[in-house]
Amino acid sequence: MRTSVLRLIRSRSPSAASPRPHLLRRPYSSESVPERKVAVLGAAGGIGQPLALLMKLNPLVSQLALYDIAGTPGVAADVGHINTRSEVAGYAGEEQLGQALEGSDVVIIPAGVPRKPGMTRDDLFNINAGIVKSLCTAIAKYCPNALVNMISNPVNSTVPIAAEVFKKAGTYDEKKLFGVTTLDVVRAKTFYAGKAKVPVEDVIVPVVGGHAGITILPLFSQAVPKANLADEDIKALTKRTQDGGTEVVEAKAGKGSATLSMAYAGALFADACLKGLNGVPDVVECSFVQSSITELPFFASKVKLGKNGVEEVFELGPMSDYEKQGLESLIPELKSSIEKGIKFANQ
Ligand SMILES: NC(=O)C1=CN([C@@H]2O[C@H](COP(=O)(O)OP(=O)(O)OC[C@H]3O[C@@H](n4cnc5c(N)ncnc54)[C@H](O)[C@@H]3O)[C@@H](O)[C@H]2O)C=CC1
Ligand SMILES: O=C([O-])CC(=O)C(=O)O
C-alpha cells in the first residue's frame, strides 16, 4: 500500500526522475506513530476553539473530531486547512454525537457554561452537571475505552458525576477518567518562576487536592529549582494560584473565564495522555483522579500515565506545616463537592 502510494507520488512529481527523499517523507505516517482519534466536546466554545487548534498541531493525533451543539462545521473547516497529519471533522447536534465519539482514544470535555464575576465554580453546577451527565452517557455507549479529560466545571463534582454515569453503564475504569487540573500547575509554575526569578521552563511544582479555591493546593515546598522564598511569599503564591481562575474571570469582566491558557493546559494534558497510550515511559502529570492517597475517593496528585491510562497515583510526599494545614482545610469542601456530584448522578 505504502509502496504504491509512494510510486504514485513519484510518478506525479516533476522531479520523479531523481526524487528527493525528504520531500516524500511523511514523518508522522502511521508507520512511526500509532493512529489516535481525539474528540473535543464543546469544540466551538472559548476553550474548544483554541484547543482544537492545538490538538490539530499535535503530531500524535491522526483524527480530530470536533463536536458541539452548533458551530463546529465552521471550526472544523477552518482548523482542517492546517498542514498537519490529522484529519478533522465537525459534528453538530446530538444526533451526530455518536459519530464524533466512535473510535476515540481520548475525549476532551470543555462543554458547559463559564463563570461570570461574583460566581463560584459551584454556581455552574446546575447547568454543567446535566451537560456532563448526558455527554458521559454517550461516551459509555460509543467509546467506553477512551481516556476522558474533564475540563467542565466544577471539576470537583463533574468527575464524580462521570464516574457514576460510567458505573451505571458498566463501563467505569478508574484508570481512564481524569479531571484536568493542569491549569493550576501552569499558573503555579508561572507565578513561582516570576518570584524566584528562574526560567519557567525549568520549574516543576506539584499541585494537589481539587480544582476550586482552597481545594487547589500547590506544594511549593517541593518546587524545583529550589529558591529560598520567605513564608509570606509562599503564602502569596499559594493564594494567587488558588485564585488564578477568579483573576481571569474578573479581568474578562463578564466575558467568561480562562480560555487560552486553559486550551494550552488542556493540550498539554491530552498530549501526556497520548504519550502514555503510545508507551512513552515516565509520563507524569498532576490530575484529579480516583485515589486512595487520602480519605477522599477522588484527589488530584501526580499521576503516571501509561498504555491503559493511570499507571500509578503518587503519594503527596513531604509537605511543609503550611501545606499540611492547607490539606486539612480543603478536605471538607472537596468531600462535599464530590458527594454533591455522586448524589446528582444517582438521582
Ligand atoms: N478545568 C479547568 O481548569 C477549567 C475549566 N473551565 C470550564 O470549562 C467550561 C467551558 O468554558 P468556555 O469554553 O470558556 O465556555 P464557552 O461558553 O465559551 O464554551 C462552552 C461550549 O460548550 C458548548 N456546549 C454547551 N452544552 C453542550 C453540550 N451539551 N454538548 C456539547 N457542547 C456543549 C457550548 O455550545 C459552547 O460552545 C466551563 O465550565 C468552564 O468553567 C474553564 C477554564 C479552566
Ligand atoms: O475560574 C474558572 O471559572 C475557570 C477555571 O476553572 C480556571 O480558570 O481555573
Side-chain angles (χ1 to χ4, degrees):
M1 170 69 180
R2 174 154 168 82
T3 321
S4 62
V5 170
L6 279 183
R7 241 185 245 132
L8 195 66
I9 297 168
R10 280 182 185 141
S11 69
R12 284 180 180 169
S13 159
S15 57
S18 57
R20 282 179 293 170
H22 69 278
L23 287 179
L24 298 172
R25 202 176 62 215
R26 296 169 62 216
Y28 302 122
S29 77
S30 54
E31 286 161 63
S32 53
V33 186
E35 303 282 307
R36 294 289 177 203
K37 178 174 174 181
V38 172
V40 180
L41 313 184
I47 297 167
Q49 292 201 38
L51 181 57
L53 169 63
L54 294 173
M55 295 319 294
K56 174 66 178 143
L57 297 181
N58 189 318
L60 302 182
V61 182
S62 57
Q63 249 185 293
L64 184 59
L66 303 179
Y67 172 79
D68 205 305
I69 47 180
T72 28
V75 182
D78 189 354
V79 163
H81 289 179
I82 291 169
N83 305 147
T84 54
R85 172 195 186 201
S86 52
E87 288 184 2
V88 184
Y91 302 90
E94 229 177 301
E95 62 290 349
Q96 297 190 359
L97 177 56
Q99 251 183 302
L101 290 173
E102 245 161 23
S104 293
D105 296 287
V106 176
V107 179
I108 316 175
I109 314 184
V113 289
R115 282 201 283 166
K116 288 193 186 325
M119 291 170 85
T120 66
R121 289 181 183 80
D122 188 56
D123 293 333
L124 306 172
F125 186 97
N126 288 344
I127 298 177
N128 290 355
I131 293 174
V132 163
K133 192 175 175 184
S134 69
L135 292 175
C136 288
T137 304
I139 290 170
K141 185 166 172 197
Y142 293 104
C143 55
N145 294 320
L147 303 192
V148 175
N149 294 184
M150 184 68 71
I151 293 175
S152 311
N153 269 316
V155 167
N156 293 354
S157 303
T158 52
V159 168
I161 291 172
E164 291 304 303
V165 170
F166 296 150
K167 278 181 202 165
K168 271 199 193 150
T171 66
Y172 183 52
D173 181 347
E174 73 276 10
K175 294 185 173 64
K176 298 190 169 175
L177 175 60
F178 303 88
V180 181
T181 57
T182 318
L183 184 52
D184 302 318
V185 177
V186 164
R187 287 175 178 144
K189 286 169 68 163
T190 295
F191 303 156
Y192 181 84
K195 195 77 206 167
K197 299 199 171 30
V198 292
V200 72
E201 314 85 73
D202 296 346
V203 174
I204 301 173
V205 184
V207 182
V208 303
H211 179 68
I214 62 157
T215 72
I216 299 167
L217 184 62
L219 301 181
F220 287 113
S221 68
Q222 295 177 21
V224 290
K226 285 262 166 258
N228 279 328
L229 298 180
D231 289 353
E232 286 320 301
D233 289 335
I234 296 293
K235 281 185 188 165
L237 287 177
T238 301
K239 178 102 178 68
R240 189 163 178 215
T241 306
Q242 292 174 333
D243 293 344
T246 307
E247 184 179 318
V248 179
V249 169
E250 280 168 5
K252 290 200 174 178
K255 296 226 164 74
S257 54
T259 53
L260 304 174
S261 52
M262 181 59 237
Y264 166 74
L268 279 184
F269 189 71
D271 179 65
C273 287
L274 290 165
K275 284 188 176 130
L277 287 177
N278 290 354
V280 175
D282 301 322
V283 181
V284 175
E285 289 291 332
C286 288
S287 180
F288 185 66
V289 294
Q290 181 173 313
S291 171
S292 54
I293 65 169
T294 69
E295 66 197 76
L296 300 179
F298 295 93
F299 204 82
S301 68
K302 283 196 284 183
V303 166
K304 187 170 170 189
L305 296 156
K307 289 187 174 173
N308 297 306
V310 175
E311 221 162 60
E312 190 175 351
V313 178
F314 293 100
E315 298 285 334
L316 296 177
M319 289 189 288
S320 67
D321 287 345
Y322 175 64
E323 291 160 358
K324 284 180 192 158
Q325 271 170 28
L327 177 61
E328 212 174 297
S329 317
L330 73 83
I331 297 276
E333 180 179 326
L334 186 48
K335 184 168 189 276
S336 99
S337 301
I338 292 170
E339 284 168 356
K340 187 171 173 180
I342 294 174
K343 190 170 164 210
F344 170 85
N346 290 312
Q347 265 164 13

